[in-house]
Amino acid sequence: MSEGPFYRILKRLADVKPEESRVALRMFFHFFLITASAYVIKAVNTSLFLQHAGARRLPYAYIITAVVMGFAVSWNSQLLQRLNRRLYISLSLVFFIACLFLFWFLFDLGDTSQIWEGWYTIYYFWSSIFLAASITQFWILVNDIMQPRQFRRLIGFFVNGGLLGGIVGSLLARFLAKPMGTHNLLLLCPGFLVVCLWIVQKVPKIHPDMVKETGRPKADLKKQKVGYLQSLKILTKHRYLIILSGMMLAGFVVSTLMDTQFNAAVQKTFSDPDQKTIFMGTFSAGLLVVSYFLNVLLTNRVLKNFGIRVALLVSPAILMLGVGSLFFVPWAGLMAWAVVVKGADKSLTHTFSQSTRELLYIPIPPDIKYKAKVFIDMFINKLADALAGILLLILAAFGFALKKEITPESMRAMKAIGVLTVAFILLWIFLVLLIIKEYVGIVRKNLRVKWPDADKFVAEKIDVDMTKLVFDTLESRQRSSVLYAMNMFDLIKNEKLSPELKKILSYKSAEVQACSLDTLLELDGEALVPALDDSIEEESLDADIREIMSMDVYQELMKEHIDKVTSGVGAEPEVSQMEVAKILGIMDPASPLIQNLAKLLTHESSEVVRYALESAGKQKKREFVPLIVPHLTKPALREAAVQTLIAYGGSITGTLRDYLVDPDVDIVIRKAIPDILARIGHQRAADLLATELPKGHKDVEAEMIEGMYKMKSLYPQVEFRDREILPEIRRLIKKSYLLLIELNDLKKDKQRAVLTEDLEKNFGRALKQIFELLSLVYSHDDMIRAYQNICSGSRKSIDYSVELLDNLLKKEVKEALLPLIEDSPLEDKARSARKYLKALEKSEQS
């Protein structure tokens, strides 16, 4: 459907897109006709049952209906798996049409007293199956053709169709019951269902994600063993489905107990069956009108602004107040109380309860969803009726039985039922709180990590420091026995010298010659560092080196030699200087010889400087920092300088901050600082970055955000405060909206395609930074998982990502962010951007 006048009218009624408007309208009218039929059938059902059986037999009817529904569920489950979905629903509609004509014929005979009274009870059971099956089949059809986020957008529109259909059905029962007769109302329903049959033939095919999610083709699903017990087994294997069933069971029991109180009040007030039908039609029409406006004005707003948690709690909270008021109601006001409370129950069931209940099915895999849905919606509903019936019989056995007339005993029974209802409402609330946690977890499982975090992966899988040290040791073996020995010493000290590594490194080439410091490492003619073999004692070697290095005589010998080497005198000064730079790293920090590192840190040879940087990181002298930092600009020494500054730890965060914020410092150095702070991983470093980010350091802003993200990834224990991060998130969202508006304007001008590409890249960077900041104050894994699926996932993955964010983010954050990332046309996003910026401008002015 194009964006013509009709679509613009439809757009005012629902959040519908042009390409989905046709199917949305068909499903709207399908639900309209189903519920119109349901409310006519229900009005006839209630009137005839109360007339021929009475309210006292309702508990027995509830129990028997549950048994009958068990067989219906088993039969439906088998048909659902073995038949094409469209054929399954079509055959069901044909069956219901035939039954309606049959019951009309039988009840017409009843006018001449030629009918068995049991047919009225059978009709009661059949109508329960019709109400459960037809509505369940509608939602199964919706789940087949709708994506999760699309479903959430349109569910209010579909519910409105159902409510309007209910209003029409109720009004038909109200105004036609007297002139036509109660049982003749059944002749209205086959025409409605024939139109539904036509709509089912016109809906799109099942979306391909069903096969994608299950990992099996639909044909394989049909071959699975199905039935009542199989559906029950599936339900019991999944904690989420157990909690969902329990929550719905508690809600249905509450509704059934209220039905009993309401029906008792109706039976006491009306004696004629047509009067009962007229009242039921009027009551149903009135409550559906209330439900319609409640759904239009509140349901979607509550879901959008407060999320599914609040929407799920609305019904039990209001019903708790209503049931509690029973204990203060006089006899004369009982009917009015019953109308108000039952009206509240049904209105909430048609709006908040139905919408949120259907949303809870979204994240369940299709091969499980449909079996579970049929079982829960059809059987659990009637199981609740049976449970309520058993509880009512128990109450009656203890003297709390309902009478035909309102007596003191009946009032006590009504209040006893009220106490029972309150207990189930409390259970309902408890299970709602449990299901929300499970719901978020199930949505999360539907989002797969698209690519691993590189820094985290390297940190977990690869010991970079050890790898570098091993390569240094292997390389130094051919260059200098002293460097070789010192590198071996580092491996020993860090407990990295495994037997396998020892075997590799113990081989010493005969070509390795003693170098200038060999004489300093001999004691009484015995070499300090022997060739490695299997008998080497690491602890003894460590102790020997430290003991010799601390001796005064060796300090004096070393001073003379080190002074000579650092002055550049000698045949091979570079190797000697490398040796000196290395050995200074294992000396006592208090030794005055350590100051020679200052000369080596400014040496022209990158090899010498690299060893000097390594030793500076071990000694951690603050005076060396100004000599280390300039090496960040040199590609050959950058990583060594970074590792050295990381080794200093949190003690130099203040110094690094000075370099970061000083505009006169080389930009290469400034951009390197956030990464160093991130890898230091100290809380002080986190606080520094979070504090400086809002101060407008535009040239290093991206590096600061990346640094904070990296720190949180590598060090999850580091904490960032909301008051510092959330304003930056809002600023970036505003920036993204401005980019969207500009991008939308440029898309219309094909001659400016280059600018469009640049804007798209800027928007992508801004979105990435938003999620990097979100990962600092919300679950890191959840935010990254959502971002990855938004960037590279399918439409369904995007929907699940948005659904996850909708349940995790604070109201003010998700209101700003979700329109930015939802799967909608650029023009719609630009329109949302203008609205957001306009609202933001007003709030800033106020």
Short mmCIF file of all heavy atoms in Angstrom, two decimals, residues 359-377:
data_model
loop_
_atom_site.label_atom_id
_atom_site.label_comp_id
_atom_site.label_asym_id
_atom_site.label_seq_id
_atom_site.Cartn_x
_atom_site.Cartn_y
_atom_site.Cartn_z
N LEU A 359 3.33 -10.62 24.47
CA LEU A 359 4.73 -10.19 24.35
C LEU A 359 5.68 -11.20 24.99
O LEU A 359 6.81 -11.39 24.53
CB LEU A 359 4.92 -8.82 25.01
CG LEU A 359 4.41 -7.61 24.22
CD1 LEU A 359 4.51 -6.35 25.07
CD2 LEU A 359 5.19 -7.43 22.93
N LEU A 360 5.22 -11.85 26.05
CA LEU A 360 6.08 -12.81 26.75
C LEU A 360 6.38 -14.05 25.91
O LEU A 360 7.33 -14.78 26.19
CB LEU A 360 5.44 -13.23 28.08
CG LEU A 360 5.35 -12.13 29.15
CD1 LEU A 360 4.56 -12.62 30.35
CD2 LEU A 360 6.74 -11.68 29.58
N TYR A 361 5.58 -14.28 24.87
CA TYR A 361 5.84 -15.43 23.98
C TYR A 361 6.91 -15.11 22.94
O TYR A 361 7.43 -16.02 22.28
CB TYR A 361 4.56 -15.84 23.25
CG TYR A 361 3.58 -16.62 24.09
CD1 TYR A 361 2.36 -16.06 24.47
CD2 TYR A 361 3.85 -17.92 24.48
CE1 TYR A 361 1.44 -16.78 25.22
CE2 TYR A 361 2.95 -18.64 25.24
CZ TYR A 361 1.74 -18.07 25.61
OH TYR A 361 0.85 -18.78 26.36
N ILE A 362 7.23 -13.84 22.74
CA ILE A 362 8.11 -13.42 21.64
C ILE A 362 9.45 -14.16 21.62
O ILE A 362 9.86 -14.69 20.59
CB ILE A 362 8.33 -11.90 21.67
CG1 ILE A 362 7.05 -11.17 21.27
CG2 ILE A 362 9.47 -11.49 20.73
CD1 ILE A 362 7.16 -9.65 21.35
N PRO A 363 10.19 -14.22 22.75
CA PRO A 363 11.55 -14.77 22.64
C PRO A 363 11.64 -16.30 22.63
O PRO A 363 12.73 -16.84 22.54
CB PRO A 363 12.23 -14.20 23.89
CG PRO A 363 11.13 -14.03 24.88
CD PRO A 363 9.90 -13.70 24.09
N ILE A 364 10.51 -16.99 22.72
CA ILE A 364 10.55 -18.45 22.77
C ILE A 364 10.77 -19.00 21.36
O ILE A 364 10.11 -18.56 20.42
CB ILE A 364 9.23 -19.01 23.35
CG1 ILE A 364 8.95 -18.40 24.73
CG2 ILE A 364 9.28 -20.53 23.47
CD1 ILE A 364 7.59 -18.75 25.29
N PRO A 365 11.68 -19.96 21.17
CA PRO A 365 11.90 -20.54 19.83
C PRO A 365 10.61 -21.12 19.27
O PRO A 365 9.80 -21.70 20.00
CB PRO A 365 12.93 -21.65 20.11
CG PRO A 365 13.62 -21.22 21.36
CD PRO A 365 12.59 -20.51 22.18
N PRO A 366 10.39 -20.98 17.95
CA PRO A 366 9.12 -21.39 17.34
C PRO A 366 8.75 -22.85 17.58
O PRO A 366 7.58 -23.16 17.78
CB PRO A 366 9.34 -21.12 15.85
CG PRO A 366 10.35 -20.04 15.82
CD PRO A 366 11.27 -20.30 16.98
N ASP A 367 9.74 -23.77 17.52
CA ASP A 367 9.39 -25.18 17.68
C ASP A 367 8.88 -25.50 19.08
O ASP A 367 8.21 -26.51 19.29
CB ASP A 367 10.59 -26.07 17.35
CG ASP A 367 11.81 -25.77 18.20
OD1 ASP A 367 11.93 -24.62 18.66
OD2 ASP A 367 12.63 -26.67 18.40
N ILE A 368 9.16 -24.63 20.04
CA ILE A 368 8.65 -24.79 21.40
C ILE A 368 7.43 -23.90 21.61
O ILE A 368 6.46 -24.28 22.27
CB ILE A 368 9.75 -24.42 22.42
CG1 ILE A 368 10.94 -25.38 22.28
CG2 ILE A 368 9.22 -24.45 23.84
CD1 ILE A 368 12.13 -24.99 23.12
N LYS A 369 7.48 -22.72 21.02
CA LYS A 369 6.46 -21.69 21.27
C LYS A 369 5.05 -22.19 20.99
O LYS A 369 4.14 -22.03 21.82
CB LYS A 369 6.75 -20.46 20.42
CG LYS A 369 5.73 -19.34 20.58
CD LYS A 369 5.93 -18.26 19.53
CE LYS A 369 7.28 -17.62 19.60
NZ LYS A 369 7.46 -16.52 18.63
N TYR A 370 4.83 -22.80 19.83
CA TYR A 370 3.47 -23.11 19.42
C TYR A 370 2.87 -24.25 20.24
O TYR A 370 1.69 -24.23 20.56
CB TYR A 370 3.44 -23.40 17.92
CG TYR A 370 3.91 -22.22 17.12
CD1 TYR A 370 5.06 -22.28 16.34
CD2 TYR A 370 3.24 -21.01 17.19
CE1 TYR A 370 5.49 -21.17 15.63
CE2 TYR A 370 3.67 -19.90 16.49
CZ TYR A 370 4.81 -19.98 15.71
OH TYR A 370 5.25 -18.87 15.04
N LYS A 371 3.68 -25.24 20.56
CA LYS A 371 3.17 -26.31 21.44
C LYS A 371 2.84 -25.74 22.81
O LYS A 371 1.79 -26.04 23.39
CB LYS A 371 4.22 -27.41 21.57
CG LYS A 371 4.54 -28.13 20.28
CD LYS A 371 5.65 -29.15 20.53
CE LYS A 371 6.18 -29.72 19.24
NZ LYS A 371 7.33 -30.61 19.45
N ALA A 372 3.76 -24.92 23.34
CA ALA A 372 3.55 -24.36 24.67
C ALA A 372 2.36 -23.41 24.69
O ALA A 372 1.58 -23.40 25.64
CB ALA A 372 4.81 -23.63 25.13
N LYS A 373 2.21 -22.63 23.62
CA LYS A 373 1.13 -21.64 23.59
C LYS A 373 -0.24 -22.31 23.58
O LYS A 373 -1.15 -21.88 24.29
CB LYS A 373 1.29 -20.73 22.37
CG LYS A 373 0.27 -19.60 22.32
CD LYS A 373 0.62 -18.59 21.27
CE LYS A 373 -0.44 -17.50 21.19
NZ LYS A 373 -0.65 -16.81 22.46
N VAL A 374 -0.38 -23.34 22.76
CA VAL A 374 -1.65 -24.07 22.72
C VAL A 374 -1.95 -24.65 24.10
O VAL A 374 -3.08 -24.56 24.61
CB VAL A 374 -1.61 -25.17 21.66
CG1 VAL A 374 -2.80 -26.10 21.79
CG2 VAL A 374 -1.59 -24.56 20.27
N PHE A 375 -0.94 -25.25 24.72
CA PHE A 375 -1.14 -25.87 26.03
C PHE A 375 -1.49 -24.83 27.08
O PHE A 375 -2.45 -25.00 27.85
CB PHE A 375 0.14 -26.62 26.43
CG PHE A 375 0.00 -27.37 27.73
CD1 PHE A 375 -0.50 -28.66 27.75
CD2 PHE A 375 0.37 -26.78 28.94
CE1 PHE A 375 -0.64 -29.35 28.93
CE2 PHE A 375 0.24 -27.47 30.12
CZ PHE A 375 -0.26 -28.76 30.12
N ILE A 376 -0.74 -23.73 27.11
CA ILE A 376 -0.96 -22.72 28.15
C ILE A 376 -2.27 -21.97 27.94
O ILE A 376 -3.09 -21.85 28.86
CB ILE A 376 0.22 -21.73 28.18
CG1 ILE A 376 1.50 -22.43 28.65
CG2 ILE A 376 -0.07 -20.56 29.11
CD1 ILE A 376 2.75 -21.58 28.54
N ASP A 377 -2.48 -21.48 26.72
CA ASP A 377 -3.66 -20.64 26.49
C ASP A 377 -4.96 -21.43 26.59
O ASP A 377 -5.99 -20.88 27.01
CB ASP A 377 -3.57 -19.99 25.11
CG ASP A 377 -2.54 -18.87 25.08
OD1 ASP A 377 -1.87 -18.66 26.11
OD2 ASP A 377 -2.40 -18.21 24.03
#
